[in-house]
Amino acid sequence: MGSHTSPNVKHTISAVFPGQASQYVGMSRTLTDQFPWTVQIYEEASDAIKENVLKLCAEGPEDALQLTKNQQPCILTTSYAWFQVLKKTLDFSPFAAGGHSLGEYSALLASGAMSLSEAVRLVRVRGELMQN
């Protein structure tokens, strides 16, 4: 069979989210510089876990960001912020979402299965347990 696309076939796009070890100091800079409204996402996450997530993402220090209990909320929040940028600027509406390890939580958050506050608190506890 040759490759062809039927006009009745629905094309779908998925969102895939990164896992732990994708963090780096400054990972929020492009977001907050180019899309200032994303600061609100970081503020909500920070309020949920009583930790300045934006400061950790933007400034570190590196040793604090590398702690598993901090990595996970920072990666989840940044992933979710990028997802929101895609939704608002490109009308991105994926058919499915997935992720590796921690990325599964970002996918659940993006799908609406939980709120940002719930997800950040959950991955904070997960990170603390893994760190210990």
Side-chain angles (χ1 to χ4, degrees), residues 18-120:
Q20 195 169 323
S22 59
Q23 75 286 341
Y24 59 92
V25 173
M27 65 187 190
S28 61
R29 239 176 249 130
T30 299
L31 274 166
T32 57
D33 288 351
Q34 300 298 315
F35 309 97
W37 55 267
T38 60
V39 170
Q40 296 170 340
I41 294 170
Y42 286 95
E43 288 172 349
E44 182 180 341
S46 297
D47 290 345
I49 62 169
K50 310 297 185 246
E51 181 82 46
N52 191 334
V53 175
L54 181 56
K55 185 173 187 212
L56 279 169
C57 291
E59 303 170 20
E62 180 75 28
D63 60 335
L65 182 59
Q66 294 305 324
L67 296 173
T68 304
K69 72 176 189 168
N70 292 334
Q71 281 181 30
Q72 295 196 16
C74 288
I75 294 167
L76 176 122
T77 303
T78 301
S79 295
Y80 184 66
W82 275 115
F83 179 76
Q84 291 302 314
V85 166
L86 291 173
K87 279 181 63 176
K88 287 184 183 203
T89 61
L90 300 176
D91 197 27
F92 181 62
S93 182
F95 174 76
H100 176 258
S101 190
L102 169 67
E104 296 172 27
Y105 294 88
S106 300
L108 286 167
L109 172 59
S111 75
M114 62 184 85
S115 71
L116 175 59
S117 294
E118 291 169 327
V120 171

